[in-house]
């Protein structure tokens, strides 16, 4: 059996007395698409922060392609092939769309062409515009394209459709599925929008209180009583150490 | 970068080059000071405008350059080696080394940012000013006097730049060579990285770029230029005093750069030129109230023209010519 691309082993992260990630363990196979859902404060973004080096765990281990990246610096983790899109669109407003795309590729020799990416996100006509003038949804796409310019082996997308229209959300789902199915890119997506998760047609991991509550297909998850209660009924209490 | 983008700077250089033909010796001498102040303003524009590091102690590097130049050319380090060129190189190296040590202290790890960084740089310049005021071997409060002018030695040829006009053309060449080089450099990959550093440091980190190295490099680049400006200054003035390394000069350069436009090298350079000229003119016209006038202009400019009094119209000219003036 091939080793997973990402292996999370008993990962724990506390902020003061609050346990954000609690002895979490899972594996992400190479070439997979995984959605992560859960209520606010369940540890989704903290998990991404730990994987990409923005935070350091108190316990546990993160293995990427078999290498221990638990305490590696964010820039080194990025160079190993993990790309991250932030929750709020994080582009360089003062630079043009084209400059935004050029920037991540400056240190790479075989980056995709900017024209390819502009075409993928439908911003070819706006290449010379300031990124700050783009709509929220366009900024989200631009940031995804910027991360893709690095040809990441693992793409972490933190709420990629936040603030998007229904049409934009559908287009984003199509882009993600294309990247995964045609280019074989391993992708993890954090999302609140359950309809978007359904569009992705992929395995879903539900987090609650810093733990994995359930894993399975979208149908399994959406029919699970505990998950339904979590989303539509009583919320779990925040854990304290 | 197309050479067209250098046209405004080139035009300014040509205009300045013609001025000694119509100005008397006194004003050419003043222009020499303005050129050096302009060079100093470029150093802060690089650090603050392009690197996003608000350094309120830029005079520290200017002063280090000034003192090292004075020590070398007066033969106080090695009596047989008093060459201007060696003095300039030593001044720039000393300023860069100090910037690297200070930069590592300020930026390593999570780093000091925002207002804290600004306060730290003020503290450094105040400490240095106090140190130089009490360092009697270096003249203490009275400073170092009789610093020789710039000299040029090529084989048997030896020339001392005593006269204002030849010195003016030498300074013009040095200052504009640096301005052109910076304008080209800031339009390169490095300039793009600096824009990103200033705009969103976290995003840049997650694209695999080392923030510490980038910050240290821009801090050191600014220090090198400030050190050069300080070295040139003392050869014109003949005098190195603690005020050259202190807080007052640090705030003055901040005003020149903010008034001109910190994000445009040419505007920052002109900011120093125009403000120094205005200071002279206003002090004659308004006596002791000239500082109030400068302060009022500064406040109005920051509120109404945040990009700078000179950068704003220059930006419009750039748009009309379809060039990006740096």
């Amino acid at each position: 059996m091939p080793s997973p691309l990402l292996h999370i082993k008993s990962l724990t992260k506390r902020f003061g007395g609050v346990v954000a990630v609690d002895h979490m363990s899972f594996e992400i196979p190479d070439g997979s698409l995984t959605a992560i859902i859960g209520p606010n404060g369940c540890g989704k973004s903290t998990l991404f922060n730990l994987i990409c080096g923005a935070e350091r765990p108190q316990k546990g281990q993160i293995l990427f392609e078999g290498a221990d990246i638990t305490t590696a610096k964010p820039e080194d983790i990025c160079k190993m092939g993990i790309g991250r899109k932030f929750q709020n669109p994080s582009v360089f407003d003062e630079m043009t769309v084209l400059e935004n795309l050029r920037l991540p590729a400056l240190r790479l020799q075989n980056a995709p062409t900017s024209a390819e990416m502009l075409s993928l996100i439908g911003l070819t006509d706006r290449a010379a515009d300031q990124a700050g003038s783009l709509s929220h949804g366009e900024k989200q796409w631009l940031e995804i394209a910027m991360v893709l310019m690095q040809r990441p082996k693992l793409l972490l997308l933190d709420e990629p459709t936040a603030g998007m229209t229904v049409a934009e959300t559908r287009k984003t789902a199509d882009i993600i599925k294309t990247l995964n199915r045609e280019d074989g890119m391993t992708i993890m997506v954090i999302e609140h929008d359950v309809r978007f998760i359904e569009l992705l047609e992929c395995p879903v991991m539900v987090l609650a209180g810093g733990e994995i509550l359930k894993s399975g297909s979208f149908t399994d998850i959406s029919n699970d009583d505990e998950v339904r209660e979590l989303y539509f009924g009583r919320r779990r209490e925040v854990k304290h150490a | 970068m197309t050479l067209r983008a250098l046209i405004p700077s080139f035009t300014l250089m040509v205009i300045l080059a013609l001025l000694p033909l119509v100005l008397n010796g006194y004003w050419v001498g003043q222009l020499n000071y303005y050129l050096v102040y302009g060079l100093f303003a470029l150093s802060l524009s690089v650090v603050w405008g392009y690197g996003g590091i608000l350094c309120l102690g830029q005079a520290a590097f200017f002063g280090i350059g000034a003192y090292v130049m004075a020590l070398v050319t007066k033969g106080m380090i090695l009596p047989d080696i008093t060459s201007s060129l060696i003095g300039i190189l030593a001044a720039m190296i000393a300023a860069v080394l100090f910037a690297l040590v200070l930069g590592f202290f300020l930026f390593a790890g999570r780093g000091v940012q925002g207002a804290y960084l600004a306060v730290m740089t003020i503290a450094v310049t105040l400490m240095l000013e106090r140190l130089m005021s009490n360092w009697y071997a270096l003249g203490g409060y009275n400073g170092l006097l009789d610093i020789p002018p710039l000299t040029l030695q090529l084989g048997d040829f030896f020339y001392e730049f005593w006269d204002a006009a030849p010195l003016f053309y030498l300074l013009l060449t040095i200052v504009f060579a640096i301005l052109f080089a910076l304008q080209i450099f800031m339009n390169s990959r490095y300039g793009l990285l600096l824009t990103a550093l200033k705009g969103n440091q976290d995003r840049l980190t997650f694209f695999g770029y080392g923030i510490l190295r980038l910050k240290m490099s821009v801090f050191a680049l600014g220090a090198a230029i400030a050190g050069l400006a300080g070295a040139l200054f003392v050869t014109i003035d003949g005098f190195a005093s603690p005020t050259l390394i202190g807080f007052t000069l640090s705030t003055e350069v901040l005003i020149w750069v903010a008034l001109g436009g910190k994000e445009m090298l040419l505007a920052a350079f002109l900011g120093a030129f125009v403000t120094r000229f205005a200071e002279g003119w206003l002090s004659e016209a308004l006596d002791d109230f000239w500082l109030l006038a400068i302060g009022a202009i500064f406040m109005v400019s920051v509120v109404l023209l945040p990009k700078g009094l000179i950068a704003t119209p220059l930006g419009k000219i750039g748009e009309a010519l379809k060039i990006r003036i740096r």
Side-chain angles (χ1 to χ4, degrees), chain B residues 231-288:
Chain B
L232 295 174
F233 182 86
V234 290
T235 63
I236 304 172
D237 214 39
F239 178 46
S241 70
T243 53
L244 298 185
I245 210 164
F247 179 62
T248 308
L249 187 60
S250 290
T251 50
E252 276 185 272
V253 70
L254 197 82
I255 290 172
W256 306 338
V257 172
L259 268 176
K262 66 181 191 296
E263 289 160 4
M264 190 186 284
L265 292 159
L266 181 59
F269 173 77
L270 280 170
F273 236 81
V274 171
T275 315
R276 290 305 294 192
F277 178 77
E279 279 174 10
W281 181 73
L282 286 170
S283 63
E284 279 180 25
L286 302 173
D287 291 329
D288 290 343

Side-chain angles (χ1 to χ4, degrees), chain A residues 52 54 74-75 78-79 84 86 90 92 95 99 103-104 106-107 143 146-147 150, chain B residues 110 189 192-193 195-196 198-200 202-210 263 324:
Chain A
C52 69
E75 58 263 36
C78 172
K79 284 176 189 164
R84 181 189 181 168
F86 287 91
S90 187
F92 301 103
M95 288 162 34
E99 285 173 336
L103 186 87
L106 286 177
R107 60 175 187 82
E143 194 189 356
M146 288 161 75
V147 180
Q150 306 172 100
Chain B
R110 289 197 178 267
R189 174 185 186 273
L192 194 62
L193 284 171
T195 309
K198 196 174 61 168
N200 193 334
D202 286 341
R203 180 67 275 179
L204 195 59
T205 304
F206 290 105
F207 281 143
Y209 295 102
E263 289 160 4
R324 190 167 182 176

Side-chain angles (χ1 to χ4, degrees), chain A residues 140-157:
Chain A
Q140 297 270 47
W141 283 333
L142 176 58
E143 194 189 356
I144 293 172
M146 288 161 75
V147 180
L148 290 175
M149 286 297 284
Q150 306 172 100
R151 288 197 192 280
K153 294 170 189 167
L154 172 62
L155 176 61
L156 306 175
L157 298 174

Side-chain angles (χ1 to χ4, degrees), chain A residues 19 50 61 105 124 139 148 150 158 166 171 175 191 196 199 203 208 212 217 231 241:
Chain A
V19 185
L50 291 167
Q61 205 178 20
T124 305
K139 282 186 184 177
L148 290 175
Q150 306 172 100
D158 196 345
V166 174
K171 184 180 168 183
I175 291 173
E191 190 51 73
F196 173 70
L199 289 172
I212 299 171
S217 68
Y231 262 86

